[in-house]
Amino acid sequence: MPDEILVRVCECVKGWEPDVLRYGSTFVRSPSNIRNLRLTCWRLCNTSSHLLLPFVRVELKQASVEHLNTVSQHPTISKGVRAVRVVLDYYDYELANDFALFAEYSAANLGDHADFLECMESEEFEDRVGNNMETIRKTRQLENSCLSFASGAVDDATFAANPSHRNLLQRAHEEYRSRATDQKQVCESGTFVRIVTAAIGRMPRARRLELREHDGYSAPHWKRTTPPCAGDDDYFLCWMIRPMTWDEGRQWALGTPHIDLLGLPGAGHEAGTFLKSLEINITSLPESHDVLTAEETRSLSMSVQQLKNIQIKLRGYRMANLTELGHALDTAELQYLRNYIDAVLNTHSIESLSLDLECFLDEDTGPLTDLGSLMTFRLWGNLEEVSWRSVSLYQKDMERFFQQLRKPLKSLHLCGVHLLGGSWAETLEILRTAPTGYEVTLSGPSGAECEDLSEEETNKIFRSQSGDYWGKSEAEDYITGYSRHNPLKPEENDHSDTSSTQ
């Protein structure tokens, strides 16, 4: 049987998966049936190996970098890799060298985990999680022991009731220090960016780059479906040594890795790689990013000239109980991010644009800056899909954005968009006449007259009353043409307007 037919057979064995370049690697897994198929004979191994790894993730540690380098040099496996995910969580060097500070950090992580388990200890989650009371009890005990040590109120009697707590804390700190040392070697040697960009260049189909925090693969404690037994120290150790996000590092007044991770797209271009898809999902900026130089701007702009899909998600880190949000960005950081987004959007090739810019909003003062200029500085010749979340702009800029489209949008999703000027009533008119398809959603708008609406009025206009996931709100019905009445205008005005045009 020809190899071409065997390849098609192997693809059928693997089954369907979403388009990695468009939708990312979140829902893509290395298929177990392909792993088993490769073990049957050499010929099937050769014809199926390119299906084994649809994406590769790389962390800031030596073993992970070596794994990426090995995969990129494999003659068949490397041909199937379509995305590289760079995990940005890191181990802080100050925590690695300060036992008391590490004890405080461990206590905070254990406390967050205990809060999460207590939230899950409700009737609706009982079948999924089971009885966590023993786990919560031990987690709280270990948290209190770590807090006692961190506060300096510790003596030999503190751990007398639970001597294993001292051993576990020391073991956790040693492991954390070992991981931080390994990370430091990778970052300071300058090999990380060089190896990652070279590896992407060697893999012919790897044209999606993901820069992510909150990567579930780096958190083995989340993979448990049942609570651990009370004596499972490894479970608690995972929480104590959990790597932190950039925003957490700011909250703890700690540093960030001295490595130009946001410069990876530009570095890839310098190595001869043009990306087709880019995802940036971060909570804050590293300390080293203050000003985007002209050379960095040029390199970024050149690297995205073939970019078709871009997702930028800039959101503060939320703790397990979802009540604490990270620090607000200062003026220099806001300007850096604006310039960075402006550079990566500097291409006519974009077909799908997703922006989630919560970091540009402050819960107390509102929007920190106008983002309209980012949407209106160019024509959008190929744009087909748009998703905006927590974007602040003026009505006139939204109107101008739609005027600069050169083809109808297949989908438009607006969530938490804040109007800095104009009115939402007129914005609905703009959206109604905009070149969009049926797939239009509008939820949680703010600014303008929305600030004067009661919660009941807001829900009536901008939430589906059917209770169906696919149901549309009054505003969405008007935008898509299923209703003639603008819900933000008096109904009699709509009748008079209609009669005057007949």
Side-chain angles (χ1 to χ4, degrees):
M1 186 178 294
D3 285 351
E4 291 80 3
I5 295 179
L6 286 178
V7 169
R8 296 296 300 271
V9 170
C10 294
E11 290 174 349
C12 291
V13 170
K14 179 184 180 181
W16 178 87
E17 67 179 19
D19 183 355
V20 174
L21 288 181
R22 181 173 290 270
Y23 301 107
S25 61
T26 300
F27 304 105
V28 177
R29 298 292 182 267
S30 179
S32 59
N33 46 7
I34 294 297
R35 290 198 296 268
N36 295 332
L37 188 63
R38 294 178 71 243
L39 300 177
T40 57
C41 67
W42 279 110
R43 195 173 178 198
L44 283 177
C45 178
N46 292 332
T47 54
S48 65
S49 291
H50 69 286
L51 303 172
L52 185 63
L53 289 178
F55 81 100
V56 180
R57 61 186 301 277
V58 56
E59 300 177 79
L60 297 175
K61 59 183 182 182
Q62 190 66 39
S64 185
V65 173
E66 292 175 355
H67 171 69
L68 173 64
N69 197 37
T70 300
V71 169
S72 70
Q73 296 179 14
H74 194 280
T76 54
I77 294 178
S78 62
K79 295 178 181 179
V81 177
R82 284 161 288 166
V84 173
R85 180 191 301 177
V86 180
V87 182
L88 306 178
D89 297 342
Y90 71 100
Y91 298 95
D92 183 75
Y93 308 138
E94 187 173 347
L95 283 179
N97 296 311
D98 190 328
F99 196 16
L101 184 60
F102 175 78
E104 183 180 355
Y105 176 73
S106 297
N109 287 335
L110 291 167
D112 289 337
H113 182 47
D115 292 342
F116 171 77
L117 292 178
E118 288 174 349
C119 290
M120 296 291 287
E121 194 57 30
S122 60
E123 183 178 353
E124 57 185 304
F125 292 111
E126 186 174 355
D127 294 337
R128 184 187 305 178
V129 179
N131 186 6
N132 290 322
M133 295 309 298
E134 183 62 20
T135 303
I136 295 173
R137 184 188 64 81
K138 182 170 182 179
T139 304
R140 291 299 187 193
Q141 288 179 347
L142 187 55
E143 176 193 6
N144 292 332
S145 297
C146 292
L147 283 174
S148 297
F149 193 95
S151 64
V154 65
D155 52 30
D156 292 338
T158 303
F159 292 101
N162 297 286
S164 61
H165 288 185
R166 179 191 293 274
N167 296 332
L168 182 57
L169 181 58
Q170 291 175 338
R171 178 186 164 199
H173 186 243
E174 291 173 1
E175 178 65 23
Y176 191 95
R177 183 164 49 192
S178 174
R179 298 188 183 193
T181 301
D182 178 74
Q183 172 191 285
K184 187 174 184 179
Q185 293 174 350
V186 173
C187 293
E188 293 189 351
S189 64
T191 60
F192 186 83
V193 172
R194 185 173 66 253
I195 291 179
V196 170
T197 53
I200 294 176
R202 282 192 293 267
M203 297 183 288
R205 299 179 65 193
R207 291 299 174 262
R208 177 179 173 90
L209 176 63
E210 301 175 355
L211 306 178
R212 282 194 188 185
E213 295 177 279
H214 311 302
D215 179 73
Y217 285 84
S218 61
H221 42 273
W222 283 108
K223 296 182 180 181
R224 291 182 181 269
T225 56
T226 58
C229 62
D232 189 357
D233 287 345
D234 287 343
Y235 176 86
F236 299 100
L237 183 139
C238 285
W239 276 100
M240 298 168 73
I241 64 173
R242 180 181 63 82
M244 63 173 53
T245 66
W246 294 353
D247 196 55
E248 285 181 288
R250 295 293 185 88
Q251 293 180 47
W252 283 84
L254 301 171
T256 54
H258 295 284
I259 183 170
D260 188 18
L261 293 172
L262 291 181
L264 273 171
H269 167 257
E270 297 296 333
T273 301
F274 283 94
L275 297 173
K276 299 286 188 181
S277 184
L278 176 65
E279 176 185 343
I280 300 174
N281 187 343
I282 61 177
T283 59
S284 183
L285 283 174
E287 290 180 337
S288 58
H289 290 74
D290 296 326
V291 178
L292 194 65
T293 66
E295 178 61 27
E296 290 173 332
T297 301
R298 184 198 66 81
S299 181
L300 275 173
S301 295
M302 291 296 296
S303 69
V304 300
Q305 290 310 299
Q306 297 182 18
L307 197 67
K308 294 183 179 299
N309 305 288
I310 182 166
Q311 300 164 268
I312 300 179
K313 186 175 183 179
L314 308 175
R315 298 172 68 84
Y317 174 74
R318 292 184 182 274
M319 312 300 280
N321 57 14
L322 301 181
T323 59
E324 299 183 29
L325 188 63
H327 81 291
L329 299 177
D330 59 32
T331 303
E333 290 173 318
L334 288 171
Q335 188 59 47
Y336 178 91
L337 286 174
R338 281 184 59 93
N339 294 340
Y340 188 92
I341 296 172
D342 187 62
V344 297
L345 293 183
N346 188 25
T347 173
H348 291 284
S349 60
I350 296 178
E351 297 176 359
S352 177
L353 172 63
S354 176
L355 298 177
D356 185 348
L357 306 179
E358 188 185 71
C359 69
F360 285 94
L361 293 176
D362 186 275
E363 292 183 351
D364 298 325
T365 62
L368 299 175
T369 185
D370 170 25
L371 300 173
S373 60
L374 296 177
M375 314 302 166
T376 59
F377 75 105
R378 65 164 49 256
L379 298 176
W380 301 93
N382 295 288
L383 194 59
E384 298 178 342
E385 299 177 356
V386 172
S387 175
W388 291 348
R389 184 184 182 95
S390 302
V391 172
S392 305
L393 74 171
Y394 288 90
Q395 175 193 312
K396 59 181 178 62
D397 288 329
M398 181 157 331
E399 183 175 15
R400 185 180 176 189
F401 169 79
F402 288 113
Q403 291 172 348
Q404 293 175 325
L405 295 175
R406 288 300 173 259
K407 60 171 61 175
L409 294 179
K410 294 180 180 178
S411 65
L412 174 65
H413 302 285
L414 306 178
C415 178
V417 172
H418 185 92
L419 212 58
L420 295 170
S423 71
W424 274 108
E426 294 304 320
T427 300
L428 292 187
E429 300 291 347
I430 295 171
L431 293 173
R432 181 180 173 89
T433 58
T436 61
Y438 173 78
E439 190 178 343
V440 177
T441 61
L442 172 63
S443 61
S446 60
E449 65 266 47
C450 286
E451 301 301 313
D452 300 323
L453 295 177
S454 65
E455 182 177 355
E456 181 180 355
E457 291 172 324
T458 301
N459 292 338
K460 180 178 182 298
I461 296 173
F462 296 106
R463 282 191 181 181
S464 171
Q465 303 301 308
S466 66
D468 183 5
Y469 175 80
W470 299 105
K472 289 190 174 294
S473 66
E474 291 183 4
E476 292 165 344
D477 277 339
Y478 181 71
I479 293 170
T480 53
Y482 280 82
S483 170
R484 299 172 61 185
H485 169 55
N486 186 329
L488 288 173
K489 288 184 176 181
E491 192 164 0
E492 57 271 19
N493 288 352
D494 291 336
H495 292 317
S496 61
D497 292 342
T498 301
S499 60
S500 64
T501 59
Q502 293 177 346

